[in-house]
Amino acid sequence: MAELTHSSPDRPNAGARPLPGMVLDQLASRQGRAPRITHTEHLPPRAGTHAVWPDRIRSEVISAIHASGIEHPWTHQATAAEHALDGESVVIATGTASGKSLAYLAPVLSALLDGSEAPNGRGATALYLAPTKALAADQRRSVKELAAPLGNAIRPAVYDGDTPVEEREWVRQYANYVLTNPDMLHRGILPSHPRWSSFLRALRYVVIDECHTYRGVFGSHVAQVLRRLRRLCARYGSHPVFLLASATAADPAIAAGRLTGLPVKEVADDASPHGELVFALWEPPLTELHGEQGAPVRRTATAETADLLTDLTIQGVRSVAFVRSRRAAELIALIAQERLAEVDRSLVRRVAAYRGGYLPEERRALERALHSGDLLGLAATTALELGIDVSGLDAVVIAGYPGTRASLWQQAGRAGRTGQGALAILVARDDPLDTYLVHHPEALFDQPVESTVLDPDNPYVLAPHLCAAASEIPLTETDVELFGPATADLLPQLESAGLLRRRGRSWYWTRRERAADLTDIRGGGGRPVQIVEASTGRLLGTVDEGSAHTAVHDGAVHLHQGRTYLVKHLDLEDSAALVEEASPPYSTTARDTTAISVLETDTEIPWGSGRLCYGSVEVTNQVVSYLRRKLITGEILGESKLDLPPRTLRTRAVWWTVTEDQLDAARINP
């Protein structure tokens, strides 16, 4: 999280901040939109409670905090800092914009300042982990601003895939606050730990930001990466304290303990003030189009969100529209820009898209423009959901339910971060779940957020990390407790597979290739596909290999920062998509088929009249064609066949079987 101050600097070109209720009324009054609002929830403002910083925080750090405009900490900030100073790992699970970053930065900066005065050696260091590059870059900017009065004692530096090669050696040798992500820790830092020995030897704190994002298989991988980090730190004589932050989490101490493998204290009583939040549920109107079996079709959430973002920009309301796909982010920004051009051409440059796949310099420029207020409206993927400092936003529009209540509140919390009133709108997609939610608000507003679920003991996750750990330092029997009870059974299996070799009481990595390459912790896999302008050879951006077949197939419409391109050829061998600029009056949507074959059934138990099964399956997916659709209405203009190779995945699955009688009953009672 990058919110450091309790009050925001003046917003550029901003007058009085609009009241959320008035903004919603203006949106609803246009074009007879009022019936589209199915429910409005008013969350009242809340007062804050101050405390004092623990006396063990260096006075210079407290002075720097005062210089940033903060006189006193909120109670939860002081409590979390006290745990950190006591050497206790702690998770801060308070609301968006509640100052979680300051709660962990105060003890971290104090420790780094102490270390800078050490007569010998490097002094204390700290490591910051973020789920996205954007969040790490934003945090570095915030830390530099806060620590400016401390001079050269605090040396923050980002170390990720965007860091130039010539800068990496400086980071390893001199930075004392390194900001990175779990991917770089897994593939870059831990396998090269001898080069990081002085940093790891002095490691006092590990900050894990937005820890609720580490769930499922990805979270299970990150949990094992953190265990590998703890193991190497112990080898070099350090035992860092873990400081975790999450705005939305159920049972945060349990989830944080499962993630780190350590006992974790919990600070969840939010003492920060919060402005009023007006949260509207919005259902787009029916169109004249009809779908399968004559079912009426609603206007798309994409088109509806583009209209709302346009109107908010005209009103001078600083807004972000969250969408579920990169294409939708580009399309919403493009539609909004075209409509703004009809009203005031000076507003066109104040709306943009933000998504993954941009070049690093493009991402940084957009982040600066958003932070400064040069941008009024942004259509963004979930990359901006995670803590980037966008203080001063007045409204958030969410195009379709994001899948969890945790993400819904995280996105809605991007607005009103200065303690002022804010507006959030959930625009329903034309699908059963969204339709249900906008007509049953209690399912959103009267239910807690979901628990963060992960399983570090999953053998398919644990096995490659045991290999990676053995390549870093040979495994011993004492490592079983660290990596979990499944380790003892897995080591002989890895030995039989020829991945590890036992010598005495230790297991060694046996192969020449890098053990860290055995797994992609995000599950993407493959080389990124580069998107190249055919006429100039200019690199526009990238798309991950798993999405290339659907996003940049031959004939696909590719949007990039307001420009439209047609994909001329997808070269799978060279991992490149050649595009040329064009202005087609349509968008494209890939169609695919998926087939699942059961290879082996390991377990089978009765489940009612059917059977519940577990075993090995093969999933075959193939993109077979694409549809051309009108930009605004989504009306289908035509379909073109594609000849792309199928992709197969062998995995483990749970499935159930039903009887013929059950099928017959389903046909009778659909």
Side-chain angles (χ1 to χ4, degrees), residues 538-549:
R538 181 169 64 100
L539 178 64
L540 297 179
T542 62
V543 62
D544 59 270
E545 192 273 340
S547 303
H549 287 214

Side-chain angles (χ1 to χ4, degrees), residues 11 20 113 144 226 243 253 365 383 427 438 471 476 487 499 510 527 540 563 615 621 643 670:
R11 294 184 298 133
L113 193 59
K144 286 193 70 174
L226 295 178
L243 310 178
V427 180
V438 295
S471 72
T476 66
T487 303
L499 294 171
T510 62
R527 293 168 53 194
L540 297 179
R563 295 181 180 271
N621 176 268
D643 183 23

Side-chain angles (χ1 to χ4, degrees), residues 296-380:
V297 175
R298 291 194 179 275
R299 192 166 187 252
T300 67
T302 298
E304 196 80 356
T305 300
D307 282 355
L308 292 173
L309 188 62
T310 301
D311 291 348
L312 289 167
T313 302
I314 291 171
Q315 293 182 44
V317 177
R318 290 185 60 187
S319 313
V320 166
F322 283 109
V323 299
R324 293 168 60 111
S325 71
R326 296 178 177 185
R327 185 178 71 88
E330 294 281 1
L331 188 58
I332 287 172
L334 181 62
I335 295 171
Q337 288 170 345
E338 290 176 348
R339 293 183 175 170
L340 288 169
E342 300 171 0
V343 178
D344 183 350
R345 294 201 61 84
S346 68
L347 292 176
V348 173
R349 66 176 181 81
R350 305 196 70 182
V351 173
Y354 184 99
R355 60 171 177 79
Y358 283 164
L359 300 177
E361 55 270 23
E362 292 176 322
R363 292 199 304 270
R364 299 293 94 82
L366 285 168
E367 290 157 15
R368 287 193 298 270
L370 181 62
H371 183 263
S372 68
D374 289 344
L375 282 176
L376 272 176
L378 200 66

Side-chain angles (χ1 to χ4, degrees), residues 407-636:
S407 287
L408 181 75
W409 289 109
Q410 187 79 357
Q411 292 177 9
R414 293 301 96 190
R417 290 168 62 89
T418 59
Q420 305 295 318
L423 172 66
I425 302 174
L426 171 62
V427 180
R429 291 176 299 150
D430 192 10
D431 71 21
L433 177 58
D434 283 33
T435 300
Y436 176 86
L437 290 174
V438 295
H439 289 284
H440 295 80
E442 69 279 0
L444 295 175
F445 300 113
D446 297 341
Q447 297 294 325
V449 298
E450 302 82 359
S451 297
T452 302
V453 178
L454 64 148
D455 180 15
D457 296 326
N458 181 331
Y460 300 98
V461 170
L462 175 56
H465 288 286
L466 290 176
C467 293
S471 72
E472 292 155 4
I473 303 173
L475 288 166
T476 66
E477 294 175 352
T478 59
D479 293 319
V480 172
E481 182 179 356
L482 174 65
F483 287 105
T487 303
D489 293 332
L490 277 177
L491 288 175
Q493 296 178 36
L494 294 171
E495 187 179 356
S496 298
L499 294 171
L500 297 181
R501 178 180 301 163
R502 183 167 186 172
R503 296 176 185 169
R505 293 180 173 270
S506 300
W507 285 265
Y508 295 78
W509 172 245
T510 62
R511 302 193 175 186
R512 291 185 177 181
E513 60 265 33
R514 284 165 41 96
D517 294 337
L518 287 177
T519 186
D520 181 339
I521 65 174
R522 294 185 191 261
R527 293 168 53 194
V529 173
Q530 295 185 321
I531 303 170
V532 180
E533 191 172 29
S535 59
T536 64
R538 181 169 64 100
L539 178 64
L540 297 179
T542 62
V543 62
D544 59 270
E545 192 273 340
S547 303
H549 287 214
T550 56
V552 288
H553 55 75
D554 291 2
V557 173
H558 176 70
L559 301 175
H560 184 88
Q561 292 198 344
R563 295 181 180 271
T564 308
Y565 298 85
L566 272 177
V567 179
K568 305 305 294 181
H569 179 56
L570 172 59
D571 189 330
L572 295 174
E573 286 191 9
D574 290 338
S575 297
L578 300 178
V579 303
E580 64 179 22
E581 194 165 356
S583 300
Y586 58 83
S587 64
T588 54
T589 305
R591 303 188 73 180
D592 61 353
T593 61
T594 300
I596 301 175
S597 302
V598 176
L599 302 178
E600 185 178 5
T601 302
D602 295 340
T603 305
E604 186 174 348
I605 60 174
W607 190 55
S609 300
R611 309 287 292 178
L612 189 64
C613 307
Y614 172 72
S616 299
V617 300
E618 184 174 80
V619 182
T620 302
N621 176 268
Q622 184 174 19
V623 175
V624 295
S625 64
Y626 66 93
L627 301 176
R628 296 183 300 281
R629 297 177 179 270
K630 283 188 177 180
L631 290 176
I632 304 300
T633 66
E635 180 183 352
I636 296 174

Side-chain angles (χ1 to χ4, degrees), residues 1-4 101 104-105 128 130 132-146 156-158 160 177 179-180 209-210 354 363-364 366-372 383-384 386-391 414 417:
M1 309 294 293
E3 71 277 2
L4 293 177
S101 58
Y104 59 70
L105 276 176
Y128 171 92
T132 65
K133 294 178 182 177
L135 182 52
D138 188 68
Q139 175 75 183
R140 177 182 177 273
R141 177 194 55 77
S142 299
V143 172
K144 286 193 70 174
E145 291 178 359
L146 179 65
V158 171
D160 60 24
Y177 190 62
L179 304 100
T180 186
D209 211 347
E210 303 292 355
Y354 184 99
R363 292 199 304 270
R364 299 293 94 82
L366 285 168
E367 290 157 15
R368 287 193 298 270
L370 181 62
H371 183 263
S372 68
L384 276 185
L386 301 174
I388 292 178
D389 185 4
V390 287
S391 298
R414 293 301 96 190
R417 290 168 62 89

Side-chain angles (χ1 to χ4, degrees), residues 266-297:
E266 176 182 314
V267 176
D269 293 330
D270 192 340
S272 65
H274 200 287
E276 176 195 20
L277 176 65
V278 176
F279 204 134
L281 304 183
W282 187 290
E283 185 174 44
L286 292 170
T287 67
E288 297 178 354
L289 302 176
H290 293 81
E292 295 182 6
Q293 300 180 351
V297 175

